[in-house]
Amino acid sequence: MAEAKVIVDNNEKIDKLIEEKRGKRKWALIGAVVMLMAAASLTLKHDRDHKSCHCSQDSRKYTGIVEDCCCDYETIDSVNEAVLHPLLQELVKSPFFRYFKVKRWCDCPFWPDDGMCKLRDCSVCECPENEFPEPFKKAMLYGLPSDDLKCQEENQQDVVDRTLDTKAFRGWIEVDNPWTHDDETDNREMTYVNLLLNPERYTGYTGESARRIWDAIYSENCPKYTSGGICPERRVLYKLISGLHSSISIHISSDYLLDETKNLWGRNLELMYDRVFRFPDRVRNLYFTFMFVLQAVAKAASYLEQAEYNTGNVEEDLKAQFLMRQLVYNPKLQAACPLPFDEAKLWQGQSGPELKLEIQKNFKNISALMDCVGCEKCRLWGKLQVLGLGTALKILFFVDGKNQQNQPLQLQRNEVIALVNLLHRLSESVKLVQELGPLVERTMEGFISPPPPQETRFWQRVS
């Protein structure tokens, strides 16, 4: 009875939080509408003076179905604002999801690191031993018996299925992800970081070192577009990286150091436009990456719903469990977008297994490149979000229990933390695109030169 009362009281608190957020969003929306009306009136006056007809264009630039997905832009924006973003905002604040285990310092496997940051905000504040949850310190299981576990990268019969083992959660384990580079089972070099105290924001990490990271990611791991196009699987990898890149650029420009002498932070709308909004493909790839990760969360619903979100804080842990159930089984989300991305259409044909191993190796190289990032805080968020993507790939292209009875899905605690935080970051970026996109584009298009020609779009990505 006591536990039931805690859940009821907790639900009432959550309902109150959501209502408060709805009220804030209402006033924020009214303010945005006023700003847009003012901007529109100025635009109309400018157009009348110059006898232009641009004012007749629809303010919504992205409409219809997101390419390679099963949901449209309008629905994504609506569901994200009403359901996903409020839930994720609360989830990532919970004790379970705010602590991430990471190797803060690793040698770059590709070149000697010479990156330097200009700001103290580049450094990461490590958690003292007595801060992070006590259950996180306990040793975890090391997977299933070796006779039952077959490494995914050695399996030549992998096929994609949209369902997972109904037994779902079997306890937190430590098994390395075949899609990522880090040895997650080596706890000697790993420390916990409080993500709320180390937000993703501008750090001053710019120049050749930063450009070299993205240059290596795109040029070494993603093929250039050719006249004949590329296979769907490679296109998916390219779009995932591009979408993540867009999201990171939006985060940096939305929390930017505008005046270092006054320690004034705010939104750099010019940078946001220059890095993302003036390239429509980058925005479209952001939406694609959001749908891809959301499909992974939906596919692992039974696992995530049954998982133990144990930090020793009973009330907060019950809240996290409740919010997770609301996320993975939300009726509004399931009705509006029941299948965000159809992973079953990939890896078809005789060369499917070999292609999967090749792309898996490419993504592992991308993961390894995170050790070459010269900024400590950038490296932290790079590692977290790439691990989140690797976890989504692991879930979506996992061999179902129907095909391999002794190979149920196994996730690390750190993988789930990375997956949820990545989904939140993408949700935040999509929300900012919806709120700021039309206004920023109308404001900035007259001041910044148009994007480079189409044939150079591959190299635009490294900026």
Side-chain angles (χ1 to χ4, degrees), residues 18-150:
I18 293 176
E19 286 301 319
E20 290 176 355
K21 286 186 174 292
R22 285 175 178 167
K24 292 178 182 178
R25 286 201 306 273
K26 177 182 177 181
W27 289 110
L29 181 60
I30 292 173
V33 170
V34 172
M35 290 178 64
L36 286 173
M37 290 176 64
S41 64
L42 291 174
T43 303
L44 285 170
K45 183 179 184 303
H46 177 274
D47 289 343
R48 283 196 298 269
D49 293 343
H50 293 80
K51 297 182 180 181
S52 171
C53 61
H54 290 298
C55 58
S56 63
Q57 295 179 358
D58 190 348
S59 62
R60 174 173 280 278
K61 188 171 184 177
Y62 302 97
T63 60
I65 300 295
V66 178
E67 184 184 23
D68 294 326
C69 292
C70 308
C71 208
D72 59 71
Y73 289 97
E74 296 88 345
T75 298
I76 295 170
D77 287 337
S78 175
V79 173
N80 185 50
E81 181 179 12
V83 176
L84 294 172
H85 191 262
L87 288 172
L88 289 165
Q89 281 279 76
E90 294 304 316
L91 261 179
V92 297
K93 293 176 184 176
S94 68
F96 184 89
F97 288 102
R98 77 175 65 152
Y99 295 102
F100 180 65
K101 187 174 66 172
V102 64
K103 288 182 182 178
R104 291 176 58 191
W105 298 104
C106 293
D107 292 332
C108 174
F110 301 103
W111 59 74
D113 176 55
D114 56 1
M116 295 294 291
C117 291
K118 298 189 299 182
L119 307 178
R120 66 174 181 270
D121 298 273
C122 180
S123 61
V124 168
C125 176
E126 183 181 328
C127 292
E129 183 72 17
N130 60 351
E131 178 186 340
F132 62 89
E134 191 67 30
F136 283 29
K137 304 174 187 178
K138 297 178 181 178
M140 292 185 288
L141 301 175
Y142 280 83
L144 297 178
S146 57
D147 291 340
D148 292 339
L149 184 63
K150 296 182 180 179

Side-chain angles (χ1 to χ4, degrees), residues 295-457:
Q295 173 61 13
V297 170
K299 184 173 182 178
S302 59
Y303 188 102
L304 296 173
E305 183 263 336
Q306 296 176 34
E308 297 171 356
Y309 302 105
N310 180 20
T311 65
N313 186 326
V314 176
E315 184 176 355
E316 288 288 346
D317 295 344
L318 284 171
K319 178 180 176 181
Q321 189 101 42
F322 174 81
L323 289 170
M324 182 59 74
R325 288 171 181 167
Q326 287 290 97
L327 176 66
V328 299
Y329 293 126
N330 191 278
K332 290 183 180 179
L333 175 60
Q334 293 177 340
C337 198
L339 185 66
F341 173 78
D342 185 4
E343 71 275 14
K345 62 188 178 183
L346 300 180
W347 320 115
Q348 301 298 316
Q350 190 174 6
S351 61
E354 291 77 13
L355 180 61
K356 180 177 179 180
L357 293 179
E358 182 182 346
I359 292 181
Q360 192 175 74
K361 180 180 178 181
N362 289 341
F363 191 83
K364 187 174 288 190
N365 287 339
I366 293 173
S367 175
L369 278 164
M370 294 302 101
D371 286 331
C372 301
V373 177
C375 162
E376 190 178 1
K377 188 172 290 183
C378 305
R379 188 186 315 118
L380 164 67
W381 282 99
K383 281 175 170 285
L384 181 145
Q385 293 180 87
V386 169
L387 176 59
L389 265 187
T391 304
L393 288 161
K394 176 180 175 179
I395 293 170
L396 290 181
F397 305 129
F398 179 78
V399 178
D400 181 57
K402 295 177 182 178
N403 305 308
Q404 294 284 335
Q405 291 294 333
N406 293 321
Q407 193 182 7
L409 175 69
Q410 297 186 103
L411 295 177
Q412 303 171 52
R413 179 166 49 205
N414 220 37
E415 288 176 329
V416 173
I417 293 170
L419 180 69
V420 170
N421 274 278
L422 170 62
L423 187 63
H424 171 250
R425 295 280 76 200
L426 294 169
S427 171
E428 180 78 13
S429 295
V430 166
K431 185 172 183 290
L432 286 170
V433 168
Q434 180 193 15
E435 292 177 349
L436 301 178
L439 181 62
V440 171
E441 289 180 356
R442 281 198 296 270
T443 304
M444 302 305 302
E445 279 174 352
F447 299 96
I448 298 181
S449 60
Q454 184 79 1
E455 59 267 19
T456 65
R457 64 178 176 175

